[in-house]
Amino acid sequence: MQEPNDHTLFLRQWMRAPARMGAIAPSSRRLAEAVCAPVPERGEPVVVELGAGTGPFTGEIQRRLGGRGRHLAIEIDPLLAQRLRHRHPGAEVIQRDAVHLRDLLDERGIENADVVVSGLPWALFPPTAQHRLMDATAAALAPAGAFTAFTYLHAVPLTPARRFRKQLTDRFEEVIPSRTIWRNTPPAFVLHARRPRP
């Protein structure tokens, strides 16, 4: 039997757990390029991806790394994690909850991540979950590290999205929003955060 395409699989998993998936379609190539922009072009960086899904960010991170450094792709859904392992053998796919990020790095002897790229639906998480994930992310980053996440345009005025934006400005010295990426379903923009506060 033929495997479902990414859109079909994503929609199927969304129907099973909409709060965990956060979207009904995978992110576009344009959004992936914007989210993954902080991945360094040189050196041996450690890049962590949260909520890898069907892999649009995974593929872009792998392209940018070109075999350099280390790429940990964290995905809680077992079917999506299995597909990621098959499709992106250069990434270390870990089927766990992203809230355990610090432990996952410690288990692999990694002191800090240089970049954390998030595909998680932050605006759908309740306050406690947002705080726990932000704590885990900040604790994992190097002092000069970068964190990127995206939010859908329609979610901007909602309380969870505003709360997430405030957490970013509280936790990072610099937070810069991108231009709206209209060629995504739905339209979105990226939040680039740098230098986690101690």
Side-chain angles (χ1 to χ4, degrees):
M1 191 172 79
Q2 188 177 8
E3 277 194 345
N5 65 32
D6 286 355
H7 283 81
T8 303
L9 179 61
F10 201 96
L11 183 58
R12 187 183 298 166
Q13 298 308 94
W14 176 83
M15 290 173 72
R16 290 178 180 169
R20 191 168 74 188
M21 296 297 289
I24 61 169
S27 298
S28 69
R29 182 178 58 84
R30 295 291 177 100
L31 182 57
E33 289 172 353
V35 168
C36 299
V39 175
E41 295 180 359
R42 296 179 181 83
E44 299 291 328
V46 174
V47 180
V48 174
E49 179 184 6
L50 308 179
T54 56
F57 299 168
T58 314
E60 181 64 16
I61 292 167
Q62 286 289 290
R63 187 188 72 76
R64 287 173 183 262
L65 288 176
R68 299 175 296 112
R70 204 161 172 186
H71 174 193
L72 277 61
I74 301 170
E75 173 51 53
I76 197 170
D77 185 283
L79 285 177
L80 297 178
Q82 181 181 359
R83 179 170 282 200
L84 286 167
R85 287 189 190 99
H86 175 73
R87 188 175 287 174
H88 300 287
E92 298 173 53
V93 179
I94 304 163
Q95 188 205 326
R96 291 275 294 277
D97 190 322
V99 77
H100 302 297
L101 177 56
R102 183 64 264 170
D103 292 337
L104 296 175
L105 294 183
D106 291 341
E107 289 165 10
R108 287 157 180 80
I110 300 172
E111 185 175 354
N112 292 116
D114 299 294
V115 178
V116 174
V117 168
S118 175
L120 295 172
W122 290 86
L124 292 183
F125 295 142
T128 304
Q130 276 192 357
H131 282 288
R132 290 182 68 204
L133 282 163
M134 189 57 69
D135 285 345
T137 301
L141 275 168
F147 170 66
T148 57
F150 70 93
T151 187
Y152 295 122
L153 194 59
H154 68 268
V156 171
L158 302 178
T159 299
R162 292 202 313 267
R163 183 172 56 238
F164 173 58
R165 182 72 179 268
K166 184 178 185 313
Q167 282 196 52
L168 282 177
T169 55
D170 288 346
R171 288 305 197 78
F172 291 87
E173 293 180 11
E174 178 183 72
V175 179
I176 300 172
S178 74
R179 293 179 177 177
T180 301
I181 298 161
W182 296 104
R183 294 176 73 175
N184 191 72
T185 305
F189 66 92
V190 180
L191 294 166
H192 295 277
R194 293 186 180 275
R195 298 184 303 277
R197 300 183 193 276

